Amino acid sequence: MGSTTPESRKSSSEPGSPDDAIDPFSMCGIASAELELEKADVLFSEGDEVEHVYVVRSGLCYRYRYLKDGRRQIVDLTFPGDFIGLEALTQATFVSSLTALTPARVTAYSVKEFIQRCHADPPLVRMLLEWMARGHSILTKRLVGGAHGSASQRIAHLLLEIRLRALYSIQLTPIEKDAETPFLGADENELNLKIPQAIIADTLGLSIVHVSRTLASLREEGLIEQSATGLRYRNLEGLKDLALWDD
């Protein structure tokens, strides 16, 4: 894993003004370093000291914890534009580990400078609150489905969540001019990303066998189509109905 220090970029507006646009990849001139991750690289582990707050620049990562019996529980997937390490606002160590699911790049910010900027920059705080509110909504819906939904409903909901977050990440990629957004294909119903069944299983607390059978059932029902490059949502409305998806 290597790192470089990119040239800082600043908004044309004064920090704190109503028109100030926050670039999550180079926020308000805070000194930053770009880290490159290969697939399966571990950025940090549970219990490590929090020294940086990160923003995913490209690629896909996942956060997880290991249970006492050795099982892995995936807490979340992280997409471009997502913040990582906000534990630094309340505690000194990471509460989960993070590994790259695909080759990825992240921007690292000093915790001290990041917190100082939060105190001085209302637009940055507003962006963080919006990001946290969106994440809370997604996680709440996933937890409710996990507690009461069938395996088909839970997997359908996760697939729709991944699509929604891929769509949102595209809104941020124009900021990063040299970034690629491989997640979506020719249209919004084609996902150029293969999510391993183990990732789905460990996110939803299902066995890989159960996930495999459920995905096969979704294919047979004409809701999705899997290929060598990823996933196609063949019947988006049908998948939403199955997942009890609330737009």
Side-chain angles (χ1 to χ4, degrees):
M1 179 178 69
S3 64
T4 59
T5 303
E7 181 180 355
S8 296
R9 290 168 292 170
K10 298 183 180 179
S11 169
S12 58
S13 303
E14 289 299 320
S17 69
D19 296 328
D20 193 24
I22 300 296
D23 178 348
F25 306 120
S26 184
M27 290 180 290
C28 305
I30 303 176
S32 62
E34 183 180 321
L35 309 178
E36 296 186 2
L37 305 176
E38 298 297 330
K39 181 179 179 180
D41 275 354
V42 177
L43 181 60
F44 54 78
S45 298
E46 178 184 350
D48 286 352
E49 182 179 354
V50 181
E51 297 180 345
H52 297 90
V53 172
Y54 303 93
V55 178
V56 180
R57 195 178 187 106
S58 64
L60 191 66
C61 303
Y62 61 97
R63 295 172 47 226
Y64 58 94
R65 295 185 65 163
Y66 282 104
L67 307 179
K68 290 184 178 180
D69 61 6
R71 289 180 297 165
R72 181 181 66 175
Q73 176 63 55
I74 292 179
V75 179
D76 199 14
L77 299 176
T78 61
F79 286 79
D82 281 346
F83 287 87
I84 307 168
L86 292 182
E87 294 99 320
L89 300 179
T90 59
Q91 59 194 62
T93 59
F94 288 107
V95 298
S96 61
S97 304
L98 183 131
T99 294
L101 182 60
T102 68
R105 286 186 294 163
V106 301
T107 301
Y109 300 99
S110 160
V111 166
K112 182 178 179 180
E113 290 190 39
F114 184 83
I115 292 176
Q116 289 175 343
R117 181 59 66 178
C118 285
H119 286 298
D121 199 334
L124 173 57
V125 174
R126 184 173 63 248
M127 180 178 68
L128 286 173
L129 289 174
E130 291 174 353
W131 179 84
M132 287 188 287
R134 184 172 61 252
H136 180 267
S137 175
I138 290 172
L139 183 58
T140 297
K141 292 178 180 179
R142 190 196 305 165
L143 290 174
V144 170
H148 301 286
S150 65
S152 295
Q153 288 175 321
R154 292 154 67 185
I155 291 176
H157 194 283
L158 181 61
L159 295 179
L160 290 168
E161 175 190 323
I162 290 170
R163 175 182 177 273
L164 177 66
R165 296 179 67 184
L167 286 171
Y168 180 76
S169 73
I170 289 178
Q171 299 176 22
L172 297 174
T173 52
I175 298 173
E176 174 59 7
K177 295 180 180 180
D178 62 342
E180 296 181 358
T181 306
F183 303 132
L184 293 176
D187 59 55
E188 295 180 354
N189 293 328
E190 185 176 348
L191 189 69
N192 288 337
L193 179 65
K194 295 189 70 175
I195 304 295
Q197 293 184 7
I199 295 293
I200 297 175
D202 288 354
T203 300
L204 299 177
L206 300 170
S207 70
I208 294 179
V209 172
H210 204 163
V211 169
S212 179
R213 290 175 178 172
T214 302
L215 289 174
S217 177
L218 295 179
R219 290 195 302 270
E220 292 171 1
E221 294 173 17
L223 297 176
I224 63 171
E225 179 180 323
Q226 292 177 289
S227 67
T229 58
L231 176 76
R232 182 167 185 80
Y233 300 83
R234 293 185 59 191
N235 183 350
L236 189 60
E237 292 306 314
L239 201 63
K240 289 181 177 180
D241 289 342
L242 172 61
L244 302 179
W245 182 264
D246 183 6
D247 287 321

